Amino acid sequence: MYDEADYIMLSALQHYLYCPRQCALIHLEQVWVENRYTAEGRVLHERSDSREVGRQRGIRAIRTLPLASARLGLSGQADVVEFHDDGSVFPVEYKRGRPKKNRCDEVQLCAQALCLEEMLALSIPSGALYYGEKRRRQPVIFNAELRKLTESTIARVHALLQGGTTPPADYCRKCDQCSLFSACLPKSCTTGRSVRKYLAAMLRGTDEKDAEHPLCNNAGSVPQ
Amino acid sequence: MRKMLNTLYVTTQGAYLNKEGETVVVNVERETRLRLPIHTLSSIVCFGQVSCSPFLLGHCAEHDVSISFMTGYGKFMARVTGPAAGNVLLRREQYRRADDLAASARLARLFVLGKVANCRTVMSRALRDHGPKIDAEGIERTVGKFGTLAQRLLREEGLDDIRGLEGRAANDYFGLFDHLIVAQKEDFVFAGRNRRPPLDRVNCLLSFLYSLLYHDVRSALESVGLDPAVGFLHRDRPGRMSLALDLMEEFRPVLADRLALSLVNLGQVKKNGFRISESGAVIMDDESRKTLLVEYQKRKQVEIEHPFLKEKIPIGMLPFAQAQLLSRHLRGDLDEYPPFIWR
């Protein structure tokens, strides 16, 4: 059981699976930079407080429902949770864009289901992801494997945020699309980038690449 | 890099600012005078009797736009900022380093190194541009000396020694500064740095430019969540923004000194744009101040390639870029703080 003060946000799971450094920048360092994609996502999710949005064909849908799990130390909200007349509960998460290569959306949805299971004391076998670009619902089955992946991700996020250390950057192609690019500086803060090398090169008026200079390894001897 | 945004100054008495959707609306006597999209602004400064709706205050806080209220004479009264800027882990690390003299020295020498290297560039550029007109030999000698000094700073470990080197470099540099003035020489004589108050026109220009820089650096530090009052080279003193003074060192030559020189050398400011008061203090008139502000803004828009980030950014974003690099170093991403070195 977690203390409420140590709860992590549901969204942190998705950030972590995209990039652990992104997760640390947002949740540890409180960095947030809005770009087109985040603004679109915000507008998509910007609705009034939790309320019933409709009842049709034996389904009552509740929007922006607050969720939490003391066992997992998790809180956040679900986009839409459907309460069916047969007693079953079905979470639906809305996503701008299209299905992603990794399983972050499924993990986020599964985490919502785990919260709902704890709060409502029932079992939730499946939910759905709705992708704006495809305009289609994609069913997600909460099987043992996805539950295990979700719980282990939650544990890793707790460890990261409790440790307080931001992981080093590792520049790759997805960095170019990341809204935090300008705060993360993945090209400059990447492992192996050396300020000593930069300084030595700047002072000698050469480029860093050919900075084979005593200063790079050792501040001791400097040819004048 | 983050986009360079504007500051909205509201001086019309009785003006009322409110929010309409994503825009800031300025009303005077129930008439709309101006509409600006919020995402183009970094701050709003209200002078005198100017008021804002609570919804606008909230909206600005959410968008990281700070609102300052000043008296009609420009004295600071209050400021509204959002919760966004700030990370306690970063500030704690800043305080730990500032408490540790050895760690402070490791950072202090890099601020000084940036300053020395950039002063050297100011001198080399003057040499290149006006070689025949100036005391080339003396300047060349100092340029060489500054190169050696920069290398030496990389090895220096004691804070007092670093401050000593900084003081000597400043003396040498300002000792030569008069030679870098190549036009209006009788009217713009520089015989050493003085500040409280400035006793000649050149010092008057420098002091005003340094105060603009101080404000820019201070807000850059705040926007990345650093405490501008806790420095490494400059120690704590109530009311002083010591970290802002630290970070300013590397920018003084690039953003202020060189601009002061070109204002004089290109004849953009003139002798009679200054008034000498009874106490000997030199005061700029409104016209000169306006020229200076316009040129400062223009200079901030010039794009350069940042030598460490290898990215094109406007000069006005340099304080923010360096504040960001300093915070990344404090958070453990970089082995040292990379000062901005201008070549």
Side-chain angles (χ1 to χ4, degrees):
Chain A
M1 293 294 242
Y2 283 89
D3 192 272
E4 273 192 18
D6 298 326
Y7 283 12
I8 57 169
M9 281 161 80
L10 268 165
S11 59
L13 302 176
Q14 205 178 15
H15 296 141
Y16 183 87
L17 289 173
Y18 181 74
C19 165
R21 181 170 165 92
Q22 189 200 54
C23 180
L25 288 173
I26 295 170
H27 298 274
L28 270 181
E29 308 209 12
Q30 316 278 300
V31 171
W32 185 250
V33 181
E34 185 146 280
N35 66 11
R36 192 193 121 196
Y37 301 109
T38 61
E40 283 175 6
R42 184 168 53 82
V43 170
L44 186 73
H45 285 97
E46 223 166 58
R47 297 185 193 108
S48 53
D49 281 338
S50 187
R51 62 196 165 105
E52 188 168 328
V53 285
R55 168 190 275 282
Q56 47 182 327
R57 277 174 271 130
I59 300 170
R60 195 160 56 96
I62 308 286
R63 203 170 255 174
T64 52
L65 185 65
L67 302 175
S69 160
R71 178 177 72 87
L72 299 167
L74 202 60
S75 73
Q77 59 185 31
D79 265 347
V80 171
V81 180
E82 294 179 356
F83 292 83
H84 295 230
D85 281 354
D86 65 4
S88 63
V89 175
F90 191 83
V92 185
E93 178 69 16
Y94 285 72
K95 293 289 172 196
R96 197 190 53 81
R98 59 180 77 195
K100 300 175 186 69
K101 279 201 187 101
N102 72 18
R103 306 187 66 188
C104 58
D105 292 343
E106 286 164 73
V107 165
Q108 190 189 1
L109 189 69
C110 180
Q112 292 174 9
L114 294 173
C115 292
L116 283 165
E117 287 184 336
E118 187 178 315
M119 296 171 92
L120 305 171
L122 47 72
S123 76
I124 299 174
S126 65
L129 291 163
Y130 179 89
Y131 287 101
E133 237 169 70
K134 284 176 62 184
R135 294 174 170 277
R136 223 180 53 212
R137 269 191 180 195
Q138 180 180 306
V140 177
I141 309 292
F142 306 129
N143 58 23
E145 186 250 334
L146 178 58
R147 284 167 187 268
K148 214 177 129 194
L149 172 65
T150 305
E151 294 210 13
S152 74
T153 306
I154 295 167
R156 279 182 288 154
V157 175
H158 271 294
L160 173 73
L161 299 186
Q162 243 151 43
T165 307
T166 306
D170 182 11
Y171 178 73
C172 63
R173 259 171 54 202
K174 74 178 173 196
C175 293
D176 296 331
Q177 265 98 57
C178 179
S179 61
L180 299 190
F181 187 94
S182 65
C184 171
L185 304 174
K187 287 177 173 170
S188 302
C189 293
T190 219
T191 7
R193 185 79 196 272
S194 159
V195 174
R196 291 218 144 245
K197 240 181 212 179
Y198 156 78
L199 290 172
M202 287 311 287
L203 295 184
R204 280 176 311 129
T206 55
D207 207 60
E208 262 170 84
K209 284 191 289 267
D210 42 67
E212 276 311 311
H213 192 270
L215 267 178
C216 304
N217 312 317
N218 172 2
S221 57
V222 181
Q224 300 292 311
Chain B
M1 188 49 59
R2 188 187 285 194
K3 256 173 58 192
M4 197 157 73
L5 302 170
N6 296 316
T7 300
L8 170 65
Y9 296 97
V10 188
T11 53
T12 310
Q13 297 304 290
Y16 176 72
L17 277 62
N18 69 317
K19 157 180 151 55
E20 265 183 41
E22 299 291 305
T23 58
V24 179
V25 182
V26 181
N27 305 285
V28 180
E29 286 166 357
R30 295 181 182 277
E31 213 176 89
T32 298
R33 291 282 180 86
L34 186 68
R35 267 170 210 281
L36 286 169
I38 187 124
H39 64 261
T40 61
L41 293 173
S42 67
S43 58
I44 299 175
V45 185
C46 306
F47 292 91
Q49 205 216 319
V50 173
S51 49
C52 300
S53 81
F55 301 103
L56 178 68
L57 295 178
H59 197 56
C60 287
E62 203 176 310
H63 282 76
D64 221 0
V65 176
S66 72
I67 305 188
S68 301
F69 293 93
M70 321 281 244
T71 66
Y73 300 103
K75 186 172 172 282
F76 175 81
M77 293 193 295
R79 196 159 63 127
V80 180
T81 48
N87 160 16
V88 68
L89 298 174
L90 173 66
R91 279 195 294 272
R92 265 209 185 281
E93 182 58 28
Q94 180 189 351
Y95 300 151
R96 270 195 292 270
R97 301 262 187 120
D99 281 340
D100 175 346
L101 285 182
S104 292
R106 276 197 296 280
L107 273 160
R109 64 184 180 164
L110 293 167
F111 297 126
V112 177
L113 186 143
K115 177 184 183 167
V116 167
N118 294 338
C119 285
R120 180 179 178 228
T121 302
V122 168
M123 292 186 288
S124 321
R125 294 228 169 171
L127 217 54
R128 195 183 65 194
D129 296 344
H130 315 290
K133 281 189 266 179
I134 56 181
D135 169 24
E137 210 180 299
I139 296 174
E140 248 166 53
R141 207 170 30 237
T142 313
V143 166
K145 209 156 114 188
F146 274 37
T148 315
L149 185 58
Q151 300 277 12
R152 210 182 129 188
L153 277 163
L154 277 177
R155 285 171 288 148
E156 207 51 73
E157 280 169 5
L159 258 181
D160 288 337
D161 295 326
I162 292 162
R163 289 207 187 91
L165 290 177
E166 197 255 340
R168 267 167 46 202
N171 273 338
D172 286 354
Y173 175 71
F174 282 124
L176 274 171
F177 203 70
D178 192 52
H179 295 285
L180 308 182
I181 298 166
V182 295
Q184 314 188 71
K185 278 199 83 76
E186 297 89 67
D187 303 328
F188 289 87
V189 178
F190 182 83
R193 180 84 185 108
N194 47 56
R195 292 169 286 179
R196 284 185 197 153
L199 300 172
D200 59 55
R201 296 185 183 91
V202 181
N203 272 297
C204 179
L205 287 171
L206 288 176
S207 287
F208 193 77
L209 285 166
Y210 289 157
S211 74
L212 295 178
L213 189 54
Y214 182 66
H215 282 102
D216 287 353
V217 171
R218 179 206 169 139
S219 47
L221 288 167
E222 278 174 351
S223 77
V224 302
L226 286 164
D227 184 341
V230 177
F232 304 102
L233 173 67
H234 295 83
R235 307 311 291 178
D236 294 357
R237 187 184 294 169
R240 185 169 82 172
M241 297 291 129
S242 294
L243 187 61
L245 292 175
D246 284 2
L247 191 56
M248 260 178 82
E249 295 293 0
E250 62 200 82
F251 298 126
R252 287 174 195 270
V254 189
L255 275 159
D257 302 352
R258 211 169 129 85
L259 183 58
L261 287 172
S262 59
L263 285 168
V264 176
N265 288 342
L266 299 176
Q268 289 163 305
V269 291
K270 300 278 189 210
K271 174 189 179 181
N272 50 21
F274 297 80
R275 187 167 64 80
I276 298 170
S277 70
E278 290 70 13
S279 64
V282 176
I283 300 152
M284 230 183 292
D285 68 6
D286 289 347
E287 202 54 39
S288 303
R289 189 171 298 136
K290 204 175 142 191
T291 308
L292 183 148
L293 283 168
V294 168
E295 291 306 316
Y296 184 67
Q297 287 301 117
K298 271 194 201 158
R299 180 134 177 81
K300 277 167 80 169
Q301 276 150 20
V302 174
E303 288 211 334
I304 54 155
E305 196 196 62
H306 190 285
F308 186 76
L309 296 171
K310 310 269 191 223
E311 220 183 297
K312 269 208 154 188
I313 65 168
I315 284 183
M317 287 302 288
L318 283 175
F320 175 76
Q322 292 305 121
Q324 213 176 16
L325 287 169
L326 178 58
S327 81
R328 298 285 17 127
H329 164 64
L330 291 172
R331 291 290 293 150
D333 279 335
L334 294 165
D335 55 344
E336 300 256 18
Y337 163 69
F340 168 74
I341 296 179
W342 185 50
R343 281 210 304 233

